[in-house]
Amino acid sequence: SVLEGLSDLARPEDSAHLPWASQPLLRAVCPKAGAKLDGNNLKVRVWVYVRRLLFEMIAYPPLRDVMKAIVPAAPVRKTAALPALKDPDFVSHMPTDGVGPDYAFSLAGLMKSQEHTGYRKAQQPVGLKLHMKDYQLQTLAWMLDHESLPHGLNELFWERWTFLDGSDFYYAPELGELRLEN
């Protein structure tokens, strides 16, 4: 699937998935010295050079396949994960109708990826005369945790990657999207 993704992005005229015909979005270079046989596996090093237009793509599965296979040039700041309860308060099920391979890239799929099954409870706020219910204390803790993320809500969706020249770009795995600016 990685090679298919590279092919789709490098040769769009052969792809039925892309809305334009003759604009390659990347170049993949595989030097002869970059391949070696490891037992029964052939390991191949491929250098990927991308065009700016690639950063305009949204929800394109081959892009996600290629990004999963890339070894980053520098450490990646991964998306944040907020704590989950050991014993969920409620359980949500995946919908059964209309769920195909592109579901993860839909708004419903994105919302499902961020859904939680309950949250720890915050302390009853001092000075608040009303006694808060459990679900209200959970919501309060959830809001406070989100407000304290070092990079804001974007940290839940966007990873920060670094080009070889040291400049940054951003990738949202749940969205299948790249951006030059956050």
Side-chain angles (χ1 to χ4, degrees), residues 147-167:
E147 287 178 0
S148 67
L149 290 170
H151 301 284
L153 288 177
N154 280 334
E155 190 173 355
L156 295 173
F157 301 101
W158 295 92
E159 297 176 346
R160 185 180 66 211
W161 288 57
T162 304
F163 287 116
L164 284 174
D165 70 0
S167 61

Side-chain angles (χ1 to χ4, degrees), residues 5-176:
L6 285 171
S7 177
D8 256 10
L9 294 166
R11 297 177 39 180
E13 67 274 2
D14 294 343
S15 174
H17 307 294
L18 294 176
W20 50 84
S22 60
Q23 296 292 320
L25 299 173
L26 61 79
R27 296 280 185 222
V29 178
C30 179
K32 201 179 222 184
K36 69 178 183 176
L37 193 58
D38 182 16
N40 289 334
N41 298 318
L42 177 64
K43 292 187 176 185
V44 179
R45 175 175 285 192
V46 178
W47 294 94
V48 178
Y49 301 89
V50 301
R51 292 188 57 193
R52 212 167 196 29
L53 189 56
L54 186 67
F55 290 88
E56 301 303 322
M57 304 224 24
I58 297 173
Y60 188 54
L63 177 60
R64 183 178 52 182
D65 294 339
V66 169
M67 290 301 294
K68 280 183 185 176
I70 287 179
V71 175
V76 173
R77 185 193 73 213
K78 295 291 191 180
T79 55
L82 295 173
L85 291 178
K86 287 183 183 177
D87 298 317
D89 286 345
F90 63 90
V91 177
S92 172
H93 299 284
M94 285 290 288
T96 54
D97 295 338
V99 176
D102 295 333
Y103 175 76
F105 290 137
S106 68
L107 180 58
L110 177 64
M111 298 301 288
K112 186 62 140 171
S113 75
Q114 294 302 311
E115 190 175 79
H116 64 84
T117 58
Y119 213 72
R120 67 175 174 78
K121 296 176 201 163
Q123 296 294 317
Q124 175 73 25
V126 177
L128 186 63
K129 293 185 181 193
L130 270 149
H131 180 72
M132 294 177 77
K133 297 182 186 277
D134 285 349
Y135 73 90
Q136 292 170 318
L137 293 170
Q138 288 179 344
T139 303
L140 176 60
W142 183 86
M143 288 188 303
L144 292 171
D145 285 351
H146 278 75
E147 287 178 0
S148 67
L149 290 170
H151 301 284
L153 288 177
N154 280 334
E155 190 173 355
L156 295 173
F157 301 101
W158 295 92
E159 297 176 346
R160 185 180 66 211
W161 288 57
T162 304
F163 287 116
L164 284 174
D165 70 0
S167 61
D168 292 332
F169 69 98
Y170 301 88
Y171 173 59
E174 296 291 340
L175 302 170

